[in-house]
Amino acid sequence: MTRQWTPGETDDDLQAIARTERLVVALDFDGTASPLVPDPMAARALPEVATQVARLAALPNTVVAYVSGRSLHDLRIITEHDDDSVIVLAGSHGAQYWFPGEGEADATGEATAEGAREALWDAARPIIERYEGAEFEPKTFGMGVHTRRAERDVEEQVFAEIDALVAERFPHWRRRAGHRVLEFSSRTEGKDTAMAALREKFDATGILFAGDDVTDEDGIRVLGAGDLGVRVGPGESHAALRVENPQQMAQLLETLADERAAAQE
């Protein structure tokens, strides 16, 4: 059962993850580190989140990663990430990675059939452009349709048309629906893949993963003993803890940083 976390309270699971030997703090970006905004590329981490991310990343045996459905290129822009960053990035739901001191990792898995992505873009764009408030997002392995500026009935109509298009021409592509977004990918990786990759890469003894959307549940669901899942906002979840919004997420990260720093003294 998911428990509501109250800022300032003592939580046994949060204290335990703060004391784990090698910690990975993995955060979804949109709706978790950043509020949801009408223009997806205008998203930026709340200053109070960025402060705590920097504090955690500076602690010994502590890695911080942003794990997002955004393509790696776009994720680097919205996280204001440069080549000297100490923050790990996992983009495209765990199909792309950037590691400090190494840069972008070589792609693994099956390649998308040549021209398939562009064929989808060419077919989808005219549909999306007919609907006011709907926006097309090109992705490394597919595409997304954002409807944060659209009315709900418009969202239903454009999603239905895009679903029909993909079902007819790209039936094996993975479908994901989130907060005011529908996306398709030729790759099958999810955030569960990212959790496994981060655990192996950093030999993590504990992972804290926080997210706000249904796609984040893929990652939360595979967390095990010694890990901690955090759900941001409403909705059913396998997470142990829930916070109300990114502002409370910043407070939880501050508590985590305080307790981990104290445990390492």
Side-chain angles (χ1 to χ4, degrees):
M1 182 176 178
T2 305
R3 308 186 306 278
Q4 181 70 42
W5 182 77
T6 301
E9 78 172 6
T10 299
D11 182 87
D12 291 343
D13 289 338
L14 191 58
Q15 287 185 327
I17 198 74
R19 293 185 174 92
T20 196
E21 184 178 355
R22 294 178 299 279
L23 173 64
V24 169
V25 179
L27 306 172
D28 172 51
F29 194 80
D30 296 279
T32 298
S34 165
L36 295 174
V37 294
D39 178 3
M41 290 308 298
R44 295 294 184 270
L46 289 175
E48 54 266 44
V49 170
T51 295
Q52 300 311 320
V53 163
R55 283 186 66 202
L56 285 161
L59 292 173
N61 298 314
T62 308
V63 173
V64 181
Y66 284 122
V67 180
S68 173
R70 303 285 197 118
S71 67
L72 190 60
H73 174 271
D74 289 357
L75 185 58
R76 295 198 72 183
I77 292 173
I78 63 175
T79 59
E80 302 176 285
H81 188 273
D82 59 35
D83 289 343
D84 296 325
S85 179
V86 296
I87 307 302
V88 176
L89 299 181
S92 299
H93 297 280
Q96 295 179 291
Y97 296 89
W98 187 99
F99 297 113
E102 300 177 25
E104 186 172 349
D106 291 336
T108 60
E110 294 185 9
T112 303
E114 185 174 356
R117 180 188 66 169
E118 289 74 14
L120 174 60
W121 292 358
D122 290 344
R125 272 195 174 112
I127 295 173
I128 296 166
E129 289 171 356
R130 295 203 317 269
Y131 290 95
E132 184 176 358
E135 298 180 29
F136 169 82
E137 179 191 3
K139 288 177 173 280
T140 303
F141 301 110
M143 55 158 277
V145 187
H146 290 271
T147 53
R148 294 175 191 172
R149 301 177 189 269
E151 299 294 330
R152 289 291 184 176
D153 61 331
V154 171
E155 177 181 274
E156 291 178 6
Q157 293 171 43
V158 66
F159 284 0
E161 275 209 62
I162 295 298
D163 272 332
L165 166 69
V166 176
E168 178 183 355
R169 296 186 53 186
F170 305 89
H172 302 300
W173 285 42
R174 180 165 178 172
R175 180 188 192 273
R176 295 183 178 91
H179 294 316
R180 312 305 304 274
V181 63
L182 177 66
E183 58 186 79
F184 293 90
S185 175
S186 61
R187 300 290 293 262
T188 61
E189 291 93 343
K191 294 186 179 180
D192 50 338
T193 305
M195 294 303 105
L198 294 172
R199 191 185 305 279
E200 180 179 1
K201 176 74 174 178
F202 299 104
D203 194 23
T205 55
I207 295 177
L208 182 150
F209 177 50
D212 73 308
D213 211 341
V214 292
T215 58
D216 299 307
E217 290 299 313
D218 290 341
I220 291 173
R221 201 175 291 115
V222 298
L223 298 177
D227 300 328
L228 180 61
V230 180
R231 174 77 177 205
V232 183
E236 293 185 9
S237 180
H238 290 79
L241 296 182
R242 185 188 306 275
V243 296
E244 293 182 359
N245 48 42
Q247 289 78 9
Q248 271 200 3
M249 189 68 229
Q251 294 174 298
L252 185 146
L253 292 174
E254 181 177 15
T255 299
L256 176 66
D258 288 346
E259 294 193 1
R260 186 155 180 80
Q264 293 179 339
E265 288 179 353

